[in-house]
Amino acid sequence: MAKRTVLLFLAVAACRGSDENTLPSFVVRGSVVTKTYDGTSDDLLTAGLGAFGIAGATNPPPPTFVDPANPTAAELRKRAIYNNYRALVDTTANGGYGVLYGPNVDVTGTPSLNPGRIAGEEWLAYDDDGTGRVNVTMMVQVPSTFDPDKPCIVTGTSSGSRGVYGAIATAGDWGLKNGCAVAYTDKGSGMGVDDLQNNTVNLIDGPRDDAADAGTRSNFTANLTDADRTAFNAANPNRFAVKHAHSQINPERDWGLYTLHAIEFAYYVLNQKFGARSSDAGNAAVTRKYHAGQILTIAASVSNGGGASLAAAEQDPQHWISGVVAGEPQVQVASTSAIQRGGTAVAAKAKPLYDYMTLAALYQGCAAGAAIYASNANMNPSLTTAQITNRCAGLKAKALLTATTQQAQSDEALQKLRDAGYEADSDLLHSTHFSTYATPAVALTYANAYARASVKDNLCGYSFAAVDSQAIGAVVPVTSMAANAQGLAQIFANGNGVPPTGPIEIINNNSVAPMSGPHRDQVSVSASTNVADFNIDGAACLRGLWTGTVDGLGTALTGTLLSQSNALKSGVQQVQRTARLRGIPTILVQGRNDALVPVNHASRAYYGANKLAEGADSPTYYYEVTNAQHFDTFIGAFAGYQTRFIPLHRYVIESLDFMYKHLRDGAPIPPSQVVRTTPRSSGNNLISKSQNVPDIPATPSPADQIVFSNGTLSVPE
C-alpha cells in the first residue's frame, strides 16, 4: 500500500510538472523582454502611427529620430513597423490601401476612419541552440481583444530576409484584427549586420553595440577569431558581414523549425497570461491553460515566410498547426507531378531557387531590351540602351548567347527565361526586377547561405561595404560620411536583410579601370569585358557554382570553386521540402505573373507534389491569380505596374478568412481555381472590388478549375 501511495504521489507530481508552464528550452534565458502598448500613443500594428501615418511617404513624413546617429530602441521599432508595413503592400489609396486592406479596414473588409491602432503586449526573445550563434529573433504580440476562451494564433514568419517585423502588414495585420496572438520569427535571416572594421553589431531590438560587449546578446556576429577579423580587415577594409549571407548555418534549412518554435513560445506567453497561478505571489508557478494543439493556429505568411509555413506543417509532430495559408511561397521540392497550362506542358518545373535565380541574374538585364518592351517602354524605366547592350555583349562573349545583334540577343535572353519556367506573363517584369537589384541581390545572398560561406571567402569576388556615392561607388569607411554612419545606426529599422540595403552596397572586388579596385557592383567594370555591364563576371561565377562549370558553361570547376560548388549543392538539398502536409488544411495563393518566384517552381510544383504524395483528395487548395506578381509595393512605385497588376495581398486576406471560418465553423474552402482579375485602366482610378478584384467564388466555373488527375496538374489558360 505504501509503495502504491509513493507511485501515486510520483504520478501526481509528474502531472503537475508537465502542467507547469516553463520557458521552452530553445528560448535564451535572459533574452525575454515584454512591453505593453496602450493602443493610443503606441500600439502593436502601427507603432502609434495609425493607418494615415503608415500611408504617408511625405505627408505625413516617415517617423524620425531625435539623434539620427544614436536612435533608441523605441524609435527603431516605430520606423521598422513603418518600413516593413509599406514594403509588403501598395500603400496608395487608388491601389487598395485604406479601401481593401490596411489598419483601418475591419475584419469584414469595411473601411472606416478608425486609425487601426491595436493595444496589447509584445514579447521578444532569442531562439538559439545553445551556441549563441543562431539567435533567431521571436516575437509574440497579444492584442487586448484576445479571448482566452476562444484562443487563436497566427504565425508571422518574416518574408524575404527581413527582421522580426517583416510580416506585420500580412499575417500580423490579419491576426491582430481577428483577436489572435501573432507569433513572429525572423527565421535566422533577419537584421543582423556586423561592421567588421569597427566591430559593432545589432542587438535584438535594434541598437548597435560593440561586438565584444554584446557577446551572445548580438543578433549576429561573424564567426571569426580576432586574428581572422584583423587579417580580413587588412586585406578588405571597411566591409560588413550580413546574417542571412554569412551566418554559415544555412538558415533556410530550419525555417520550419523556427516557425514551430515561435508557436511554442506563443503558447508559453499565453499560458503565462491566462494560466492559473499558485497562491505564492512572490514567485508563483503557472499552470498551463493550453497544451499543444489546443489553440486554433494558422501558419501564415508570404514569400519566404509562406515557404516557412509549409515547412513547419511538414515537420509538426506535436500538431501545433491547425491550418496553413501560404501567399506566393518561396518553397522548393525535389520533384513534382506533370504540369499543364491550357493543355500544354509547362517548359520547366520544380527547379531549385538557386538554379532559376542565378539564371535570371545573368539574363534579365539583357532581356530588358527584348522586342516586347518596345511597345511597353514604361515597364523599363531604369535601364539604358547602353547598359542593356553591354550586358548582352558580355553574355555573347562568354558564349552564353549566340545571336549577334543586341535586339536578337535580348530576344534570345528572354526566351532562355521562358525555357527555364518563367511564364510569358512575366516577360515585362524582368527589367524592373533586375534594375532594382532584387534578382542579383537574392542570387548572391543565397549563394553564400547555401555554400555556408564565410565573409572571408568573398564568394565569386563579391563583398559588402558603404560607398562614397551611387555614381562612383568606391568603398569608404562607414564613419567617413554622416549619411552612411546614420544609415548603419538605423539599419534595423530601414534594412531588408539583403544588400543593397541601407548604406550597405554589393561590391565587385575585381573591378578594373576606370573603376579600378572594389566598387559598387552596378557601376563596376568587368575584367573580362572592360565595360560596365553589371559585373557579368560575378554573375557568371555564381551561375557556375550551380552548373559546376566555368561561367555556367564549358570547362569543369576545380580547386576552391569546385569545393564551394559542392557545398552549395549540398545546401540546396537541405532546403527541399517533401510536400507531405499530413492532412493539414492548406491554401496556396500566388500570382501567375510572379517573376521572382515563378509559379512553375513554387505553388504549382508544391501543389502537384502534395497531390502525388497524399492523393488528389488531400485538403490542399491552390488559387492562381491573374494579373498579380510578387511585389505589391512595386504597383505604387512604378507607373507601368498600375495598369497591369492588382494587389495579391487582397487574396491572401481572403484566403485567411476562408481558413479561419473552416477551422472555426467547418465552412468549406472553395476549390482550387484560377482567379480572374482586371487591372485598373489608369493609375488615377480607384481600385474596385467588383470591377478589378472580385471575390474568389465558392463554385468556380469549370473553365477556371485547377484539377489534379492521373498524376497531372491541369491549370486552365
Side-chain angles (χ1 to χ4, degrees):
M1 188 71 175
K3 182 177 181 181
R4 183 177 179 184
T5 301
V6 170
L7 291 174
L8 180 61
F9 170 79
L10 292 174
V12 171
C15 288
R16 284 177 178 169
S18 66
D19 282 343
E20 182 178 334
N21 193 40
T22 57
L23 194 68
S25 60
F26 54 82
V27 179
V28 177
R29 294 188 178 275
S31 71
V32 182
V33 179
T34 308
K35 189 164 184 180
T36 300
Y37 296 94
D38 61 15
T40 302
S41 63
D42 207 341
D43 76 296
L44 300 180
L45 181 58
T46 75
L49 298 168
F52 181 62
I54 291 289
T58 56
N59 183 27
T64 57
F65 307 93
V66 173
D67 180 355
N70 295 283
T72 66
E75 290 173 333
L76 290 167
R77 176 186 179 273
K78 179 172 287 191
R79 186 68 170 261
I81 288 175
Y82 171 85
N83 280 325
N84 280 285
Y85 201 112
R86 294 171 58 84
L88 271 292
V89 300
D90 178 3
T91 53
T92 64
N94 285 353
Y97 182 81
V99 180
L100 299 176
Y101 53 85
N104 66 305
V105 179
D106 68 18
V107 295
T108 69
T110 304
S112 71
L113 297 178
N114 187 320
R117 299 186 184 97
I118 296 177
E121 291 183 13
E122 188 168 286
W123 296 56
L124 274 176
Y126 275 143
D127 173 357
D128 190 72
D129 62 1
T131 65
R133 290 188 55 212
V134 180
N135 275 5
V136 172
T137 302
M138 298 180 295
M139 179 175 71
V140 176
Q141 292 183 324
V142 185
S144 59
T145 54
F146 183 90
D147 184 346
D149 295 323
K150 296 180 180 179
C152 56
I153 296 171
V154 177
T155 68
T157 306
S158 290
S159 63
S161 303
R162 295 185 170 276
V164 75
Y165 292 98
I168 194 78
T170 52
D173 182 292
W174 187 92
L176 292 172
K177 287 177 183 174
N178 280 274
C180 299
V182 184
Y184 301 86
T185 173
D186 71 2
K187 65 187 186 310
S189 52
M191 286 312 307
V193 175
D194 186 345
D195 177 356
L196 298 169
Q197 192 73 48
N198 299 294
N199 203 30
T200 64
V201 294
N202 285 104
L203 302 179
I204 191 171
D205 53 357
R208 296 186 65 77
D209 196 1
D210 179 84
D213 291 342
T216 56
R217 294 182 300 115
S218 166
N219 180 288
F220 164 68
T221 302
N223 186 28
L224 302 174
T225 66
D226 288 343
D228 285 339
R229 189 168 62 84
T230 298
F232 180 79
N233 286 339
N236 307 271
N238 306 308
R239 299 305 207 278
F240 296 92
V242 176
K243 188 170 187 176
H244 192 168
H246 297 131
S247 68
Q248 297 183 265
I249 62 173
N250 191 14
E252 187 178 351
R253 176 190 60 189
D254 292 320
W255 284 354
L257 176 66
Y258 300 144
T259 301
L260 291 172
H261 281 181
I263 297 171
E264 188 172 352
F265 182 49
Y267 266 75
Y268 168 79
V269 169
L270 295 174
N271 279 318
Q272 284 296 104
K273 285 182 61 61
F274 303 111
R277 276 180 161 72
S278 68
S279 58
D280 179 7
N283 191 16
V286 178
T287 301
R288 294 176 184 169
K289 181 178 177 68
Y290 311 110
H291 292 79
Q294 291 183 338
I295 298 177
L296 188 159
T297 300
I298 303 175
S301 191
V302 302
S303 194
N304 284 350
S309 300
L310 294 167
E314 289 184 14
Q315 55 194 73
D316 179 21
Q318 292 186 270
H319 308 290
W320 298 105
I321 296 171
S322 314
V324 178
V325 175
E328 55 188 19
Q330 190 282 95
V331 64
Q332 306 177 60
V333 289
S335 62
T336 189
S337 66
I339 301 175
Q340 295 181 350
R341 172 180 167 178
T344 301
V346 302
K349 59 187 180 180
K351 286 181 178 289
L353 174 139
Y354 190 78
D355 184 358
Y356 64 73
M357 198 65 67
T358 51
L359 191 89
L362 264 182
Y363 289 105
Q364 280 182 330
C366 177
I372 192 172
Y373 283 94
S375 56
N376 296 280
N378 63 354
M379 288 302 291
N380 185 10
S382 302
L383 296 178
T384 67
T385 300
Q387 290 172 323
I388 294 169
T389 299
N390 285 350
R391 188 50 174 250
C392 291
L395 290 166
K396 170 65 173 171
K398 291 182 180 295
L400 296 170
L401 291 175
T402 59
T404 55
T405 66
Q406 177 266 307
Q407 183 63 73
Q409 289 164 351
S410 291
D411 291 336
E412 183 183 355
L414 180 60
Q415 187 59 50
K416 284 186 178 292
L417 293 167
R418 290 177 177 173
D419 292 343
Y422 287 82
E423 289 287 3
D425 307 73
S426 304
D427 284 354
L428 288 173
L429 293 163
H430 295 304
S431 176
T432 48
H433 281 45
F434 185 82
S435 63
T436 59
Y437 246 51
T439 305
V442 171
L444 176 58
T445 292
Y446 283 82
N448 280 277
Y450 291 147
R452 284 143 291 177
S454 168
V455 67
K456 296 187 300 181
D457 293 330
N458 289 322
L459 197 68
C460 285
Y462 288 102
S463 62
F464 299 143
V467 299
D468 56 359
S469 69
Q470 295 282 296
I472 303 301
V475 173
V476 296
V478 72
T479 55
S480 67
M481 300 171 63
N484 284 341
Q486 292 172 10
L488 179 61
Q490 301 167 17
I491 199 160
F492 174 87
N494 297 329
N496 61 20
V498 177
T501 185
I504 302 175
E505 298 285 349
I506 296 174
I507 303 301
N508 175 6
N509 291 344
N510 303 322
S511 182
V512 299
M515 299 292 188
S516 296
H519 276 72
R520 179 173 175 257
D521 200 52
Q522 292 93 320
V523 297
S524 66
V525 177
S526 298
S528 69
T529 60
N530 288 309
V531 297
D533 53 17
F534 298 96
N535 190 9
I536 187 71
D537 294 343
C541 175
L542 294 178
R543 180 64 183 163
L545 293 178
W546 178 250
T547 63
T549 57
V550 175
D551 289 340
L553 181 74
T555 58
L557 298 178
T558 59
T560 299
L561 283 174
L562 177 59
S563 297
Q564 292 169 338
S565 173
N566 290 336
L568 183 146
K569 291 175 183 176
S570 173
V572 170
Q573 289 180 337
Q574 290 178 341
V575 305
Q576 291 181 327
R577 312 305 180 192
T578 67
R580 293 185 177 274
L581 293 166
R582 297 172 297 103
I584 296 175
T586 299
I587 297 175
L588 312 172
V589 56
Q590 188 165 6
R592 174 173 281 183
N593 307 68
D594 201 320
L596 188 75
V597 181
V599 287
N600 288 318
H601 308 311
S603 289
R604 287 180 183 173
Y606 192 89
Y607 183 76
N610 171 262
K611 296 300 181 181
L612 277 181
E614 300 190 326
D617 294 329
S618 72
T620 301
Y621 306 86
Y622 172 41
Y623 307 133
E624 184 167 299
V625 183
T626 65
N627 307 304
Q629 46 83 50
H630 201 84
F631 297 112
D632 275 9
T633 189
F634 279 10
I635 301 174
F638 298 111
Y641 278 59
Q642 293 165 13
T643 57
R644 292 177 174 86
F645 303 113
I646 56 88
L648 182 69
H649 180 56
R650 178 263 189 277
Y651 291 106
V652 174
I653 294 170
E654 190 172 19
S655 296
L656 279 162
D657 290 340
F658 288 152
M659 184 59 67
Y660 187 48
K661 291 173 184 175
H662 174 71
L663 296 174
R664 185 190 60 192
D665 304 326
I669 297 174
S672 300
Q673 59 190 279
V674 172
V675 181
R676 310 288 180 182
T677 69
T678 304
R680 293 172 286 160
S681 59
S682 167
N684 294 323
N685 292 350
L686 180 67
I687 196 166
S688 165
K689 188 174 180 181
S690 60
Q691 297 179 20
N692 306 116
V693 285
D695 288 336
I696 297 173
T699 306
S701 71
D704 292 336
Q705 292 180 16
I706 294 175
V707 177
F708 182 87
S709 179
N710 297 320
T712 298
L713 172 62
S714 298
V715 181
E717 184 55 55

